[in-house]
Amino acid sequence: MSPSPSSPMFRERSERSVAYLHSRFAETADLLAETTPHAAAPLQDAREICTGGKHLRSLLVHIAADRPSGPVPRCDTAVAAAFDLLHGSFLILDDVFDADETRRGRPTVHAAAIARAENEYGIAGSTDPSDAAHYGQSVAVLTGTAALAGALRLITDSGAGGTTTVSLIRLLTDAAGLSMMGEFLDLHYSLPGVEAGADAVRTASHLKTSPYSFSAPLVAGALLAGRDGHTAVLREMGGHAGAAFQTANDLHSVFSSSSRTGKSAAGDLALGRATPLLTAARETAARSELDEILAGGDPSQLKRVRELLHSCGAVDEVITRARDDLAAARTVLADTGALPSPEARAAFAAVLDGISESLHV
Amino acid sequence: MSPSPSSPMFRERSERSVAYLHSRFAETADLLAETTPHAAAPLQDAREICTGGKHLRSLLVHIAADRPSGPVPRCDTAVAAAFDLLHGSFLILDDVFDADETRRGRPTVHAAAIARAENEYGIAGSTDPSDAAHYGQSVAVLTGTAALAGALRLITDSGAGGTTTVSLIRLLTDAAGLSMMGEFLDLHYSLPGVEAGADAVRTASHLKTSPYSFSAPLVAGALLAGRDGHTAVLREMGGHAGAAFQTANDLHSVFSSSSRTGKSAAGDLALGRATPLLTAARETAARSELDEILAGGDPSQLKRVRELLHSCGAVDEVITRARDDLAAARTVLADTGALPSPEARAAFAAVLDGISESLHV
């Protein structure tokens, strides 16, 4: 997905949040070094994941806080950083669940820990529970869980008032809970013996990403600025934007080269992940051939899968739905006072444009 | 470990916290049922783990809140429940890391999910990442992480004031972070290529349990009651009690029958977990025979391991250190105003007595 070209002011604030997140990671590294040298490597791996990417979530917090004439209070910077850290936490855990080896062109946290166990500590690969894979996955789970706790910690340290802080913690834990629910359903619907309908798969896909990536950061920004009354419209706008964003991600995970996404293109397919795209295709005549290829798990069949997803109409179907969602988000943006300033409205419109541009294969 | 016989008043309050935790699980079950039937089983598994046991942590919150003449405000009940839930979260994750199949005499969350995947959804066991074991572990990690988020959520919903709530969230995330650090070190020191000294292993063991099981619940109780000035002495007292408690747990995991602990007695040994008990033994002449048995991983050798741990003096060494810790905790209890009322002091003394009684093999 291309970064939004507009909104340099909010983009700059988001970068300041990333710099703050870096400083917190550096502080944690210093603290841990007092106890042990062994935690430095996974912490650094987590830092790369959590401070990388395009910082969409911290950008959305700053847009929704909507202080065009500045200054930006410290609490905005910290809370925006917390949402990027929360995202990093979910990426680290997601990569364990999906057994992905690469993320953003680097080894995932568990893959790096496995490599260290094998190369530095001499564990031979085995199927014993004490083997390197189990060690690496456990380290990644701990790292991801610590990042989740860290995100909440950033909010308590943000300097926002007590009532606002409590609302923000509730917002973040709610969004995290919905994402975990979506992730669980994603895993569950991918079991070979489970047949999930299109609506159920869309719900799971939506829960997994949209609440914590769009709705919660937007509401957080409004809470920080004392605009509690904007919560409902921001949630609605974020829900539509998040649905379109997730569709763009699903398309890219199948149609982009791995050099572009930073992870293996065939990953979701190999695991039989029930994305709305695949579910739409399995409701057409393409189903039997698709199921056969997915059961075989041969990565060289990716080209044929792409052809089938196109020819059966599934790609067009999900893109049409995503464009409808983007239009709905634009209507909320234009017709409500969700974002008071023209600067913030333009910045959010640019985010929607970025999603729109990436809705192709 | 035997339940503390005394302190019926605080025990009754702790039971009320468990009832509250049950009601929150029931609410969550109702909410989830609106989205999907599939989450009901892991949620029920988590509920059994999180509401089971002896509720030590919620008891400590109520003791430290120290309101002998009542009434008990709702925030005490909720925050105490949050600590039991946090404990459940760590048990669920810990069982994944340790590959334990049973906990409190029931299948662990991941073992239950694996069994469902195999029996209800027909996944054959395989080494593919999409197999039943990976599914079960992922479900347990999500469940444990959701329980962690839930514990924080209970605190935001407790009705304590904004400033107190923020302090409590900080306290809980700090304690959780230390426990994750201890868990990481525990895993790391158990790698075959890593040799950790006695002090390092003791630090890891201490971090893993004591801060979230003793120091943080005690401090939380004081914060709820507005006795912020008692924080330092409660931390000190909790640190000593927690160290002795962990020693008792280590002893029981090796010397108790699995019907008593509810988990496999040979678990830590089979994984070569570097407990202070084992590390002490490995600093004696028993080392070579112990290492040979542990490398072989034959559960029938448990009896010989027990003999060796006794005869080399390691059991006496860790029990002596734990008794010193209990004495130090009693000194803090007697010499400071950490717990103002005689009722609370008696109740905490009973907890120390319970630990003391379980310090035998």
Side-chain angles (χ1 to χ4, degrees), chain B residues 15-283:
Chain B
E15 293 309 320
R16 226 181 298 162
S17 287
V18 177
Y20 174 71
L21 189 52
H22 268 293
S23 75
R24 292 295 296 244
F25 266 103
E27 278 170 38
T28 305
D30 289 346
L31 268 175
L32 291 187
E34 290 170 18
T35 307
T36 170
H38 303 295
L43 184 72
Q44 181 60 29
D45 294 335
R47 180 173 172 171
E48 300 276 356
I49 297 289
C50 297
T51 59
K54 292 182 301 295
H55 317 125
L56 169 68
R57 291 146 194 89
S58 63
L59 177 67
L60 292 174
V61 172
H62 286 293
I63 289 174
D66 197 356
R67 310 186 202 259
S69 55
V72 176
R74 191 170 67 87
C75 55
D76 287 23
T77 303
V79 170
F83 276 94
D84 276 349
L85 184 54
L86 178 71
H87 177 51
S89 160
F90 288 153
L91 292 181
I92 292 166
L93 295 174
D94 204 39
D95 286 338
V96 175
F97 303 148
D98 291 352
D100 272 329
E101 304 288 307
T102 54
R103 162 75 65 184
R104 294 178 174 155
R106 301 170 35 91
T108 52
V109 175
H110 69 96
I114 290 170
R116 282 192 298 274
E118 286 174 344
N119 301 332
E120 294 173 35
Y121 305 112
I123 302 188
S126 76
T127 56
D128 190 79
S130 62
D131 74 358
H134 190 79
Y135 167 80
Q137 289 163 5
S138 299
V139 168
V141 168
L142 282 166
T143 307
T145 315
L148 170 65
L152 291 155
R153 184 57 200 264
L154 287 193
I155 291 182
T156 65
D157 293 352
S158 71
T163 310
T164 303
T165 302
V166 172
S167 297
L168 287 167
I169 298 277
R170 198 174 281 147
L171 179 72
L172 195 139
T173 51
D174 271 359
L178 292 178
S179 180
M180 291 169 201
M181 185 68 199
E183 182 76 56
F184 165 75
L185 290 173
D186 190 13
L187 290 169
H188 196 81
Y189 293 156
S190 306
L191 288 173
V194 175
E195 182 96 3
D199 283 352
V201 169
R202 256 203 308 277
T203 299
S205 172
H206 186 74
L207 287 174
K208 193 174 154 180
T209 303
S210 186
Y212 92 82
S213 300
F214 280 84
S215 302
L218 290 171
V219 171
L223 292 176
L224 284 164
R227 285 191 295 275
D228 303 30
H230 290 191
T231 302
V233 284
L234 287 170
R235 271 190 205 284
E236 189 190 346
M237 191 170 78
H240 287 300
F245 176 79
Q246 182 61 41
T247 299
N249 274 350
D250 286 348
L251 288 169
H252 281 255
S253 78
V254 178
F255 288 95
S256 292
S257 68
S258 56
S259 65
R260 174 113 186 263
T261 62
K263 50 186 276 189
S264 158
D268 282 354
L269 293 181
L271 287 162
R273 284 284 180 268
T275 63
L277 174 65
L278 270 182
T279 310
R282 293 178 82 249
E283 292 188 339

